[in-house]
Amino acid sequence: MATIEREGGDRTMGNDGRGPCPLPRSGGSVPYEGVWRFTAPAVDASVPQARHAVRDLLARQGVPAPDDLVQGLLLIVSELVTNAVRHAALLSPMLAVEVAVGAEWVRVSVEDNHPYRPTALVADHAQTGGRGLLLVREITAEAGGACDVEHTASGGKVIWAALPLKPHGG
């Protein structure tokens, strides 16, 4: 189960497929704008849970994202949550996933309390792992978006990727 953070207190998200609830809107100009955030334990089961919650949220809110953009976002969420589970769980038993949608972009981020700030390594084709952040950077760049890793005020980190809702160059 994951905890959904919302103004006025926390609620628990079950496995009903409804996903996270929106935080109050910031006066957006389109109905799908908003910010949604949920927490989950840093365990393997949280990877598909986070992916499904993001997919369902985008569909429920009617975000006008083409299928290839949604698939890229879901792959990014999977990679970022997997990294938090594999590399941060010891110091960060919980992680947070945030989805922010604007009129022309969507941003996904994963936050944990581990202080190590990873970098996207150069691909070593003999290696069978360790290319998740490189993949995130490639998907983001191909879509014309941006991604980064930032420190949090609590000493952890947040890794985010923002992609435009309109096709790159279009």
Side-chain angles (χ1 to χ4, degrees):
M1 289 206 148
T3 301
I4 300 166
E5 297 174 8
R6 185 177 186 174
E7 190 170 281
D10 291 349
R11 295 190 7 210
T12 300
M13 177 177 70
N15 293 324
D16 61 2
R18 290 187 4 204
C21 296
L23 291 169
R25 293 176 194 244
S26 59
S29 60
V30 293
Y32 56 82
E33 281 186 291
V35 178
W36 297 263
R37 182 180 174 90
F38 61 96
T39 58
V43 297
D44 289 339
S46 294
V47 176
Q49 251 187 343
R51 186 175 55 245
H52 294 294
V54 171
R55 180 199 64 207
D56 295 346
L57 170 72
L58 295 173
R60 187 175 63 252
Q61 292 304 117
V63 177
D67 189 56
D68 59 337
L69 180 111
V70 172
Q71 293 308 314
L73 280 171
L74 298 179
L75 184 53
I76 289 169
V77 168
S78 293
E79 290 295 337
L80 297 183
V81 174
T82 296
N83 281 352
V85 167
R86 286 189 183 159
H87 304 295
L90 185 62
L91 294 178
S92 183
M94 296 296 288
L95 57 91
V97 177
E98 185 173 281
V99 179
V101 183
E104 299 178 3
W105 52 269
V106 60
R107 174 183 157 153
V108 294
S109 61
V110 174
E111 181 178 339
D112 64 58
N113 290 320
H114 196 290
Y116 175 68
R117 183 179 167 151
T119 56
L121 301 176
V122 175
D124 177 352
H125 297 289
Q127 236 181 350
T128 58
R131 293 188 289 243
L133 284 180
L134 182 62
L135 182 60
V136 168
R137 288 188 184 278
E138 288 176 0
I139 291 168
T140 304
E142 186 175 309
C147 62
D148 204 359
V149 180
E150 300 171 356
H151 290 287
T152 63
S154 64
K157 67 183 165 300
V158 61
I159 304 175
W160 59 268
L163 304 180
L165 289 173
K166 298 197 183 342
H168 183 55

